[in-house]
Amino acid sequence: MKKYDVAIIGSGLGGLVCGYILSKFGYKVIVLEKHYQIGGCLQTFRRNGVTYDTGMHYIGSMDEGQVLHRYFSYLNLLDTVRLRKLDESGFDTIATNGEIFKIPMGYDHFIESLSQRFPKEKQSLENYVHSIVDVAKESPLYNINEINDSVFLSPHTVKWSVNEFLNSITKDEVLQNVLTGNLPLYAGKKDKTPMYIHALIHNFYIQSAYRIVGGSDSIAKSLANSINKFGGEILTNSEVEKINCNDERAISVELKNGETIEAKSFISNMHPQLTLEKLNTPLIRKAYRERVSNLENTISNFTVYIKFKKNTVPYLNSNFYYYASKNAWESENYTEKNWPLNFLYMHQAPENGGNFSEGALLIGYMKYSEVAKWDGTEVEKRGNDYLEFKEKKAHRLLETLEKSFPGILANIESYSSSSPLTYINYTGTKEGSMYGIIRDKNSPVQTLVSQRTRIPNLFMTGQNINSHGILGVIIGSIITCSEFLGINTIIKDINNH
């Protein structure tokens, strides 16, 4: 039986980055993935000639010298991932309060552009930019600086909610709603989501924003190739059913096919609640298990994957956020009658580099409770009532899109859809949650999931550690790998790259 230094459960971005870093440093690594396809939220699928992203839709801070560009360089991704820059004059478009607002790249452009729409709020906008930049500067891993302190974030950014922060910036409710416009990027909850999550994400994109050409799975494939070159292994169709422990530590994992994999250490890229379900050991105390199991998860989504008739729809080089309500925070509180209260509409970057769009994604919030009665059913075997439910929801979402883009329905050749159940099947997240466990400023310690577990050689990684999104997960992976290498060893390696 082969024995490894580190067995990584799950091949999402967090698992692959951990596999990359540890195998680069000489650890004998194996990555175990339950699906036939690696990547987690980096997975794509191709239908009717169009490639669709499933979770990673656009990325930020990719201009040379910016933070994600530096991480991509270190992870050997620059030459293997094709990018197309979004519209610098408005990479995000916010439709709220019956008006359209463009969010431009660059701090100065951001301030000047929005000041034209809110002439009395220029100072407020300057204060906003200074605040989000300060949060990023205070976070050493967002600047790739050596760390001599265990505190990665200032306490006030953790204990201050996004809406409290924005209310301190401006009393203009429309401007507050515009600044909250990218809410689906973190599925924030009013009076709960800490200010730092909003600040880091908005700062990340304002610097520069790009779409991935040809699908986000190019990131997963590139990392996997590097892991293999470093001597690591990746096994697909290898679902972990159980993590075995002795009296002191984890010793092996049992796969669904009956195989056992032994390792000195283990990293779980699964949702923390799912990780605990794989463990039957007194090393996990009841209080810890109950705390993690009872943590609230972010909302899920319903997505329509659209294929356009050839050369009918000009490529939209901006992300379109729509809100039916004057208050973006109300989007989760929909009813059967008024759904959807929001949507995010994005075109896939044309693979041929052309000016017409081939396909698009249309995403609206959806509660898990709407599909709970079909939980436990298999993909493509959920029954006609489920198909009818999806068709009804897709039609409603497309009708809402038509109001903002008159005539768009006539240019759609075909479409398909996915629900929270699809997310559960392909990413293993709880209740189809988009971003895992909600961080709550009212309970900052209780809703923090550490990379360490109660088992000394079992660690966690992924969007529940540190933060979600491509940058948050990469940084969370570095934090996890620091348990093996030391944080500054990794930072020096990045800076010397």
Side-chain angles (χ1 to χ4, degrees):
M1 181 188 296
K2 284 187 178 179
K3 188 167 184 177
Y4 299 86
D5 293 322
V6 186
I8 299 171
I9 308 167
S11 69
L13 179 62
L16 292 174
V17 172
C18 284
Y20 180 98
I21 293 172
L22 293 175
S23 60
K24 182 177 187 289
F25 274 88
Y27 284 79
K28 187 177 180 182
V29 168
I30 186 167
V31 181
L32 303 166
E33 170 56 50
K34 74 173 183 176
H35 287 300
Y36 66 90
Q37 184 179 189
I38 63 169
C41 290
L42 296 172
Q43 292 178 71
T44 64
F45 68 92
R46 192 165 180 84
R47 185 164 292 162
N48 299 323
V50 181
T51 299
Y52 297 98
D53 293 310
T54 61
M56 188 68 67
H57 303 302
Y58 67 115
I59 60 178
S61 293
M62 270 300 294
D63 283 353
E64 190 164 354
Q66 292 176 353
V67 61
L68 191 61
H69 188 278
R70 293 179 65 191
Y71 279 126
F72 264 45
S73 176
Y74 178 67
L75 296 169
N76 198 30
L77 293 171
L78 291 179
D79 295 331
T80 54
V81 179
R82 295 165 58 208
L83 300 174
R84 179 164 175 166
K85 197 167 193 177
L86 285 160
D87 186 349
E88 294 188 36
S89 66
F91 66 94
D92 280 349
T93 301
I94 314 298
T96 182
N97 205 48
E99 297 181 78
I100 301 291
F101 300 89
K102 297 281 190 180
I103 308 296
M105 292 181 209
Y107 301 124
D108 291 339
H109 291 151
F110 175 87
I111 293 167
E112 290 303 321
S113 177
L114 287 179
S115 292
Q116 291 176 19
R117 300 293 299 274
F118 300 93
K120 297 179 181 179
E121 298 293 328
K122 185 170 183 179
Q123 185 61 55
S124 299
L125 288 161
E126 289 177 354
N127 293 341
Y128 174 81
V129 167
H130 288 314
S131 296
I132 65 172
V133 170
D134 283 347
V135 173
K137 284 181 177 178
E138 290 173 356
S139 309
L141 286 172
Y142 286 79
N143 297 284
I144 318 182
N145 295 328
E146 289 192 32
I147 296 173
N148 298 307
D149 193 336
S150 61
V151 178
F152 294 165
L153 292 164
S154 294
H156 78 277
T157 69
V158 176
K159 297 180 180 179
W160 206 10
S161 71
V162 177
N163 51 291
E164 287 171 333
F165 161 62
L166 293 176
N167 193 51
S168 76
I169 292 291
T170 176
K171 301 302 178 186
D172 188 311
E173 293 181 358
V174 178
L175 179 55
Q176 286 183 15
N177 220 36
V178 171
L179 296 176
T180 316
N182 65 359
L183 193 63
L185 290 182
Y186 53 99
K189 289 184 78 75
K190 187 177 181 180
D191 298 326
K192 283 191 176 183
T193 302
M195 172 265 190
Y196 78 87
I197 290 178
H198 169 92
L200 291 173
I201 288 173
H202 219 180
N203 180 67
F204 178 61
Y205 286 107
I206 288 174
Q207 292 183 68
S208 65
Y210 290 79
R211 286 205 178 116
I212 301 167
V213 180
S216 55
D217 62 339
S218 59
I219 296 172
K221 290 174 181 176
S222 179
L223 289 170
N225 287 337
S226 294
I227 290 168
N228 288 330
K229 287 177 182 177
F230 291 143
E233 296 179 44
I234 298 175
L235 295 183
T236 54
N237 297 307
S238 299
E239 182 175 356
V240 171
E241 282 203 323
K242 186 178 179 183
I243 303 171
N244 296 314
C245 301
N246 60 20
D247 292 341
E248 298 178 346
R249 55 202 297 114
I251 55 172
S252 66
V253 293
E254 287 182 27
L255 305 186
K256 194 172 184 178
N257 63 13
E259 188 178 352
T260 298
I261 305 287
E262 292 186 357
K264 296 176 185 175
S265 296
F266 300 83
I267 296 173
S268 175
N269 189 201
M270 297 183 292
H271 190 288
Q273 292 167 349
L274 187 58
T275 302
L276 292 183
E277 289 174 11
K278 307 286 184 183
L279 286 159
N280 182 16
T281 170
L283 294 172
I284 300 292
R285 296 175 186 169
K286 184 179 179 182
Y288 175 78
R289 190 182 291 273
E290 288 180 351
R291 179 178 75 81
V292 174
S293 297
N294 290 326
L295 290 172
E296 183 182 2
N297 287 286
T298 53
I299 196 168
S300 188
N301 67 82
F302 186 89
T303 302
V304 180
Y305 305 92
I306 300 167
K307 181 183 180 180
F308 295 118
K309 296 174 183 175
K310 190 172 183 180
N311 296 337
T312 62
V313 178
Y315 173 60
L316 180 64
N317 201 26
S318 179
N319 309 297
F320 189 89
Y321 292 86
Y322 164 84
Y323 294 96
S325 168
K326 292 182 180 181
N327 186 343
W329 297 103
E330 294 299 315
S331 300
E332 280 195 34
N333 302 324
Y334 64 83
T335 65
E336 170 63 27
K337 288 185 177 181
N338 67 13
W339 184 88
L341 292 180
N342 74 327
F343 67 71
L344 168 56
Y345 174 58
M346 297 174 289
H347 286 196
Q348 296 285 159
E351 294 184 43
N352 60 9
N355 295 318
F356 283 95
S357 183
E358 300 164 332
L361 300 167
L362 181 59
I363 305 169
Y365 280 171
M366 180 172 279
K367 301 167 188 171
Y368 168 75
S369 58
E370 290 209 59
V371 296
K373 66 179 179 179
W374 294 290
D375 196 5
T377 57
E378 295 182 33
V379 178
E380 308 293 343
K381 296 179 181 179
R382 303 199 199 278
N384 288 333
D385 56 342
Y386 176 70
L387 296 177
E388 290 169 5
F389 167 84
K390 287 212 303 176
E391 181 56 32
K392 177 183 175 183
K393 293 294 185 180
H395 187 68
R396 183 92 65 88
L397 204 49
L398 287 166
E399 282 183 331
T400 308
L401 177 68
E402 175 78 10
K403 294 175 184 176
S404 294
F405 294 86
I408 197 72
L409 291 184
N411 295 322
I412 294 176
E413 180 178 305
S414 62
Y415 63 86
S416 57
S417 63
S418 65
S419 79
L421 294 179
T422 318
Y423 233 59
I424 292 171
N425 282 119
Y426 288 98
T427 68
T429 187
K430 281 290 183 179
E431 299 185 347
S433 164
M434 286 196 286
Y435 306 118
I437 292 166
I438 292 174
R439 274 66 170 183
D440 188 345
K441 65 100 180 181
N442 305 296
S443 307
V445 175
Q446 291 82 354
T447 55
L448 172 70
V449 178
S450 171
Q451 74 277 13
R452 298 174 184 170
T453 71
R454 301 291 179 175
I455 299 170
N457 66 331
L458 172 62
F459 305 95
M460 295 191 192
T461 197
Q463 65 179 0
N464 292 287
I465 309 304
N466 179 60
S467 186
H468 66 278
I470 190 166
L471 182 58
V473 171
I474 289 173
I475 289 172
S477 302
I478 290 169
I479 292 170
T480 301
C481 290
S482 72
E483 296 292 331
F484 298 82
L485 301 164
I487 192 73
N488 288 328
T489 298
I490 304 171
I491 291 173
K492 286 176 183 176
D493 196 43
I494 295 168
N495 288 327
N496 291 334
H497 179 72

